[in-house]
Amino acid sequence: MRGRGERLETLLGERGLDRMLVTDLVNIRYLTGFTGTNGACVCGPGIRVFLTDFRYTERAATEVEGWEAITVEGDWLASIAERLEGKVGFEDDHLAVRSLEKLKEKLGEGVEAVPAGGTVERLRRVKDAEELAAIEAASRIADEVWEWSVERGFAGRTERDVARAAEARIRELGGDPSFPAIVAAGPNGALPHAEPGERTIGNGELIVFDMGAQLDGYCSDGTRTYATGDPGAEAREVYGVVLEAQLASLEAVKAGASGEDVDAVARKVIDAAGHGKHFGHGLGHGVGLEVHEAPRLSPRADDVLEPGEVVTVEPGIYLPGVFGVRIEDFVVVEEGACRNLSTLPKELTLVD
Amino acid sequence: MRGRGERLETLLGERGLDRMLVTDLVNIRYLTGFTGTNGACVCGPGIRVFLTDFRYTERAATEVEGWEAITVEGDWLASIAERLEGKVGFEDDHLAVRSLEKLKEKLGEGVEAVPAGGTVERLRRVKDAEELAAIEAASRIADEVWEWSVERGFAGRTERDVARAAEARIRELGGDPSFPAIVAAGPNGALPHAEPGERTIGNGELIVFDMGAQLDGYCSDGTRTYATGDPGAEAREVYGVVLEAQLASLEAVKAGASGEDVDAVARKVIDAAGHGKHFGHGLGHGVGLEVHEAPRLSPRADDVLEPGEVVTVEPGIYLPGVFGVRIEDFVVVEEGACRNLSTLPKELTLVD
């Protein structure tokens, strides 16, 4: 957590804020290390206060680093309000309407609540060495589980069985699933958010297998598309297009590139193959304490990539009622290139 | 989902609202059956509209019952706003400040957003037969896992190992943990929200084991305190006090009783034993799609119990640095009594 409060304080200065009230639990974890379910942070010049309730006094003492941890015994909002002054940024993208109304009733004279959502999320984009270590370890767990899953084979099993087994294996290896694994075979692969079902995977089918592990709070995210025997000429051709789009856009991921430009590289390849309308989502997104966070790689993303950001690169082509293909790597943005954390092969792998 | 939209419509009428905008995903699931991660409901006289995006079109078609399911292709908030008129209740306890501001920009002339948080939660308090069936099945899974855990023994294992094994067993039995299991031995039992750690459980220790299963979205919640051999006179005495408080307060749970009164029954027993200050939480809470929901049993709860509500009854005594005892059952409120879903013995069980 070292230095994160200081970076937030600098950002407040730039934005003309005297205090920042942080209420989102993920942002609180990022700033302080606290993993409980009730807390708030007040940050300002030389001020680092973390508030929680009696249930979490001991946990805060163990986890919170670089912030004064206070257990509130009386009125929660009053305890927060008495630490606020001047222009106070609050997380308008997280804080509930009712909570803000009640907080305003407690604010002192001349204290003004100013919408400042996204401020901590901005800091979270660039990962430090400790965060990258957790992310890489999470990614290794997931890669190991793909390999383990491939060895067990897919044909004759249900999607749900494959997904559940992979999640259990992630836990055996010391992680948690960063989201429920997606195992979508045959026509289900064309559903962008398929839930693994009781459908038995047949032979000659494509299987979209999207999975991530979470370790020490940090997530990984990746996808491979496998085939249970030869899936046919159309599937092989579509797979080739997605792979070409993926390789080309990976080349474009580097510090200084915009999310829009990187997305366009993949989209151009897929458009040229006549599948533009079958690629209905953005190319990628940041990953960290949350599996979807800033920056975004998409047609509408003006985010400019910086060294230390971790993003997915995941073009896909989805033919409704037929099949889907998605190939997703998980990379660290560096100067001049990206460093790919995914260790799995990318040519179409035939699996039992 | 049958009838839930109708009950909501009735409540809107009573509260002078023309429409209700529901944005909380748990409330949406309750009303419509939808389990995805993006949606909104608009309810009004004869109006039942559920909105989602392209990712969830197929899921909505499968899951949503009794509501017109619409996939929004253009502006999300504009699509919602065009379905709102008159006085529109919104969930001020869930909706983020920024979302309300943006929604207000899209509202038509004369349309007014009125805070109406807790409206759907009010409906959720009383469970129907289908909900009770899911809750009872979840409770049976958890009970089976306590029995399975007791057979495997506690002494010599770490808290984390016991907790992780129990969670894995819940999954093997077809459920999910409704929250991370708490296994808190010896002095850790005195921490109200202990996280199972690497501490090895010794002999003659008390173990607070709090766990729940979730099935078809519905949660169970219960606690037993075990001992690895004789825990000593003080522990046995405290256990006896908690058990007496628990049995007495269970007697008091029935339709028409207030949450405050039921809590007072347990608190009186614990106070009389000189442990009033060691019982720092409320006696219980409702359980359903969420593991904590209305009504509450606590010193400040004016909720009056109704038939079909499902609540926990969980007095505890926590001696800082020494040990903790909590006994938690999971019951359905009925006329004149409660029906206890917990099937486990309650005398102090000595475990290997």
Side-chain angles (χ1 to χ4, degrees), chain B residues 257-265 296-303:
Chain B
S258 81
E260 184 180 354
D261 291 346
V262 177
D263 176 275
V265 170
R296 291 185 308 132
L297 312 180
S298 90
R300 291 166 306 280
D302 54 9
D303 299 322

Coordinates of all heavy atoms in Angstrom, one line a residue, chain B residues 257-265 296-303:
Chain B
A257 N -44.7 -11.0 16.9 CA -43.6 -10.6 17.9 C -42.8 -9.5 17.2 O -42.6 -9.6 15.9 CB -42.7 -11.7 18.3
S258 N -42.2 -8.6 17.9 CA -41.3 -7.6 17.3 C -39.9 -8.1 17.4 O -39.5 -8.8 18.3 CB -41.5 -6.2 18.0 OG -40.7 -6.2 19.2
G259 N -39.0 -7.6 16.5 CA -37.6 -8.0 16.5 C -37.0 -7.5 17.8 O -36.1 -8.2 18.3
E260 N -37.4 -6.4 18.3 CA -36.8 -5.9 19.5 C -37.2 -6.8 20.7 O -36.3 -7.1 21.5 CB -37.4 -4.5 19.8 CG -36.8 -3.8 21.0 CD -37.4 -2.4 21.2 OE1 -38.2 -1.9 20.3 OE2 -37.1 -1.8 22.2
D261 N -38.4 -7.3 20.8 CA -38.9 -8.1 21.9 C -38.1 -9.4 21.9 O -37.7 -10.0 22.9 CB -40.4 -8.3 21.8 CG -41.1 -7.1 22.1 OD1 -40.5 -6.1 22.6 OD2 -42.4 -7.0 21.9
V262 N -38.0 -10.0 20.7 CA -37.4 -11.4 20.6 C -35.9 -11.2 21.0 O -35.4 -12.0 21.8 CB -37.5 -11.9 19.2 CG1 -36.7 -13.3 19.1 CG2 -38.9 -12.1 18.8
D263 N -35.3 -10.2 20.6 CA -33.9 -9.9 20.9 C -33.7 -9.8 22.5 O -32.8 -10.3 23.1 CB -33.4 -8.7 20.2 CG -32.0 -8.3 20.7 OD1 -31.8 -7.6 21.7 OD2 -31.0 -8.6 20.0
A264 N -34.7 -9.1 23.0 CA -34.6 -8.8 24.5 C -34.7 -10.1 25.3 O -34.1 -10.2 26.4 CB -35.8 -7.9 24.9
V265 N -35.4 -11.1 24.8 CA -35.5 -12.4 25.5 C -34.1 -13.0 25.7 O -33.7 -13.4 26.8 CB -36.5 -13.3 24.8 CG1 -36.4 -14.7 25.4 CG2 -37.9 -12.8 24.8
R296 N -35.0 -7.6 11.0 CA -33.9 -7.7 11.9 C -34.5 -8.0 13.3 O -35.6 -7.6 13.7 CB -33.1 -6.5 12.0 CG -32.3 -6.2 10.7 CD -31.4 -5.0 10.9 NE -32.1 -3.9 11.4 CZ -31.7 -3.1 12.4 NH1 -30.6 -3.3 13.0 NH2 -32.4 -2.0 12.7
L297 N -33.7 -8.8 14.1 CA -34.0 -9.1 15.5 C -32.9 -8.4 16.3 O -31.8 -8.9 16.3 CB -34.0 -10.6 15.8 CG -34.8 -11.5 14.9 CD1 -34.7 -13.0 15.4 CD2 -36.3 -11.1 14.9
S298 N -33.2 -7.2 16.8 CA -32.1 -6.5 17.5 C -32.7 -5.4 18.4 O -33.9 -5.2 18.3 CB -31.2 -5.8 16.5 OG -31.7 -4.5 16.2
P299 N -31.9 -4.8 19.3 CA -32.5 -3.9 20.2 C -33.1 -2.7 19.6 O -33.9 -2.0 20.2 CB -31.2 -3.4 21.1 CG -30.3 -4.6 21.0 CD -30.5 -5.1 19.6
R300 N -32.8 -2.4 18.3 CA -33.4 -1.2 17.7 C -34.3 -1.6 16.5 O -34.5 -0.8 15.6 CB -32.2 -0.3 17.2 CG -31.4 0.4 18.3 CD -30.2 1.0 17.7 NE -29.4 0.0 17.0 CZ -28.6 -1.0 17.7 NH1 -28.5 -1.0 19.0 NH2 -27.9 -1.9 17.0
A301 N -34.8 -2.8 16.5 CA -35.6 -3.3 15.3 C -37.1 -3.2 15.6 O -37.6 -3.8 16.5 CB -35.3 -4.7 15.0
D302 N -37.8 -2.3 14.9 CA -39.2 -2.2 15.1 C -40.0 -3.2 14.1 O -41.2 -3.1 14.0 CB -39.7 -0.8 15.0 CG -39.3 -0.1 13.8 OD1 -38.8 -0.8 12.9 OD2 -39.5 1.1 13.6
D303 N -39.3 -4.0 13.4 CA -39.9 -5.0 12.5 C -40.8 -5.9 13.3 O -40.4 -6.4 14.3 CB -38.9 -5.8 11.8 CG -37.9 -5.0 10.9 OD1 -38.4 -4.0 10.3 OD2 -36.7 -5.3 10.9

